[in-house]
Amino acid sequence: MTSAPVPTAAATRDAAGLPVTLDAARLREDFPILAEQVNGHPLVYLDSAATSQKPLAVLDTERDFLTHANAAVHRGAHTLAAEATELFEDARATVAGFVGARPEQLVWTSGATMGLNLIAYSIGNASAGSGAPASARLALRPGDEIVATAIEHHANLLPWQELARRTGAVLRHIPAHDDGTLDLDAAAALIGARTRIVAFTHVSNVLGIVGPVAELVALAQRVGALTVMDACQSAPHLPLDLPALGVDLAVFSGHKMLGPYGVGALYGRSDVLEALPPFLTGGSMITTVTLDEAEYLPPPQRFEAGTQPVGPAIGLAAAVRYLQRVGLERIHAHEGMLAERMRAALVEIPGIRLLGDAPNAERVGLWSFDVEGVHAHDAGQYLDALGIAVRVGHHCAAPLHARYGVTASVRASTALYNTTDDVDRFVDAVAGIRPYFGA
Ligand code: PMP
């Protein structure tokens, strides 16, 4: 058997043609948790697709805010409240800028799951006749169609199932080929005159493949359908310009991109956000209120009822600045190198079946695989005993696993702080799984 050359931390070139590499060993100093021992071994953390680790800059920023500037935003007339409001709105501008958006196009959420539910519930409200006259264009009627892909995380599937049930719309699915890429011929046939919403992930959390966003947006635009993109698994790993991608709405989670838990964002094209009725109602999202009715603020505040995750949002802005300082191009190249190195070793191990091993697909640094004759949970425990943290299960994508005839897989996912050493320790350990279990 001939082996492909093993990728190393090869240099990419910057605009001036100079080699640029990401020094992961140096970055690790910013993430103290990576120096932990687990089960008597130095930790190899390969579960960043579930949640990333957080650099000191993020922890310090949130703590500094709470120590020196904490107050209720948008309300108080006192100095601290003004300072807190400024930090909070600066954070919005930073995170919006990270995805190429303007501040008023960015709504704080608790994460991607809330963002996707917000969209689906708001469209449900528009369908029930609520909202401004402009909301009517988002309303669904019985027989209208929502098209999602068959590879989605449950967070980008269940809200559409619920919306379809509430409105009488029909949910249809774009199938995937065996190699994990979407069947675009089927997509072209599915997306038609009745299609009102097309929902898809930018990067699959199981396959690691970057999806055909331009093609899906073009198909949706051809019939005037709204596009909704899940950017959870792309935001921390590659340069993201949501307006340039042409999607109408997109969501991502802070905790997967070096940021705190409990904060995420919804991006929306301005005219779409303007037309969407609110999902949650209450304080902080109104202009006037009487006992019988209320007028709502424009976006983004219209979607931010109640007290917001102020500290986490300010922490997320620090995470974004950290990612920007390292450089998303560089992160993408580094993680691509790790993924290639991982693949080169995994395909040599008997009984390992990679899910979504599409040739020439653009990818992030993530592989899920089946270990023949060994349950994924047993494989995960074996790796954990060696200090290697991976995710096992269906990764909240049960239909995709069913498509591959399995109920669970092992997933190893990288971030900017992973090294070739992490990959080598991981693949060496994977080689021991089947012999250990006598498979
Ligand atoms: N979409 C994708 C692709 C994901 O990977 C995840 C997290 N596993 C989510 C949505 C949901 O994110 P959260 O749990 O942060 O809301």
Side-chain angles (χ1 to χ4, degrees):
M1 207 181 317
T2 55
S3 304
V6 176
T8 56
T12 54
R13 309 253 153 201
D14 68 11
L18 298 169
V20 183
T21 49
L22 180 159
D23 187 351
R26 153 73 196 84
L27 293 183
R28 291 170 79 83
E29 293 167 15
D30 298 331
F31 297 81
I33 198 170
L34 297 175
E36 290 284 315
Q37 298 277 314
V38 171
N39 296 323
H41 299 274
L43 170 65
V44 172
Y45 189 74
L46 290 171
D47 199 16
S48 295
T51 199
S52 68
Q53 299 302 346
K54 293 102 182 53
L56 287 171
V58 169
L59 309 183
D60 291 347
T61 299
E62 208 177 339
R63 186 188 164 91
D64 278 356
F65 165 71
L66 293 171
T67 310
H68 300 294
N70 181 45
V73 299
H74 293 154
R75 287 180 202 166
H78 56 84
T79 303
L80 218 48
E83 203 177 315
T85 302
E86 193 177 326
L87 288 167
F88 181 57
E89 291 304 325
D90 282 353
R92 188 194 304 277
T94 301
V95 176
F98 180 69
V99 295
R102 295 192 306 277
E104 66 275 15
Q105 296 178 306
L106 191 110
V107 177
W108 297 116
T109 64
S110 66
T113 303
M114 178 183 161
L116 291 161
N117 277 279
L118 187 162
I119 296 167
Y121 274 90
S122 296
I123 293 172
N125 291 345
S127 310
S130 131
S135 304
R137 78 168 165 108
L138 299 174
L140 297 185
R141 287 168 200 83
D144 282 347
E145 292 179 0
I146 304 166
V147 175
T149 85
I151 67 167
E152 296 304 311
H153 187 283
H154 299 165
N156 201 19
L157 174 60
L158 276 58
W160 306 122
Q161 293 178 351
E162 286 294 326
L163 180 60
R165 256 192 285 281
R166 281 199 302 278
T167 59
V170 179
L171 178 58
R172 309 185 72 186
H173 304 283
I174 301 170
H177 297 295
D178 286 345
D179 68 3
T181 57
L182 291 176
D183 182 340
L184 284 174
D185 292 334
L190 274 169
I191 298 170
R194 300 281 343 230
T195 309
R196 307 298 314 284
I197 298 170
V198 180
F200 51 87
T201 193
H202 192 187
V203 173
S204 159
N205 68 313
V206 176
L207 310 169
I209 297 173
V210 180
V213 177
E215 288 84 347
L216 293 172
V217 167
L219 288 171
Q221 283 177 349
R222 201 184 55 181
V223 297
L226 195 72
T227 47
V228 179
M229 188 173 84
D230 179 349
C232 256
Q233 298 294 348
S234 55
H237 303 297
L238 45 87
L240 194 55
D241 186 332
L242 294 171
L245 288 176
V247 293
D248 294 314
L249 297 158
V251 302
F252 47 94
S253 286
H255 72 97
K256 291 181 194 287
M257 48 194 289
L258 315 186
Y261 291 108
V263 69
L266 158 68
Y267 153 84
R269 242 181 53 187
S270 297
D271 63 309
V272 175
L273 286 183
E274 291 288 346
L276 264 189
F279 160 44
L280 296 175
T281 52
S284 304
M285 49 79 76
I286 48 85
T287 51
T288 55
V289 182
T290 68
L291 285 179
D292 295 317
E293 56 188 12
E295 276 192 22
Y296 303 135
L297 282 164
Q301 274 80 21
R302 183 193 300 164
F303 303 103
E304 294 180 353
T307 304
Q308 295 299 298
V310 177
I314 291 168
L316 178 54
V320 157
R321 285 193 296 273
Y322 189 95
L323 289 168
Q324 287 171 325
R325 258 200 317 277
V326 178
L328 271 296
E329 292 281 1
R330 219 177 304 187
I331 292 169
H332 190 34
H334 174 73
E335 293 174 5
M337 175 277 293
L338 295 176
E340 231 350 276
R341 188 178 177 99
M342 206 181 267
R343 181 192 177 280
L346 289 176
V347 297
E348 299 293 326
I349 303 173
I352 299 294
R353 177 170 63 119
L354 296 174
L355 306 186
D357 188 13
N360 307 319
E362 187 187 358
R363 322 185 49 90
V364 299
L366 178 164
W367 287 106
S368 297
F369 55 89
D370 176 51
V371 185
E372 193 189 333
V374 180
H375 194 279
H377 287 86
D378 291 332
Q381 270 181 13
Y382 176 87
L383 296 173
D384 182 50
L386 298 169
I388 300 166
V390 294
R391 170 107 186 238
V392 294
H394 54 50
H395 324 307
C396 300
L400 175 55
H401 279 77
R403 161 81 176 73
Y404 281 108
V406 291
T407 53
S409 65
V410 179
R411 181 183 72 187
S413 55
T414 67
L416 70 176
Y417 39 65
N418 286 113
T419 60
T420 53
D421 222 47
D422 287 339
V423 171
D424 295 348
R425 271 189 57 202
F426 166 70
V427 294
D428 284 352
V430 171
I433 295 174
R434 292 182 76 242
Y436 178 83
F437 288 101

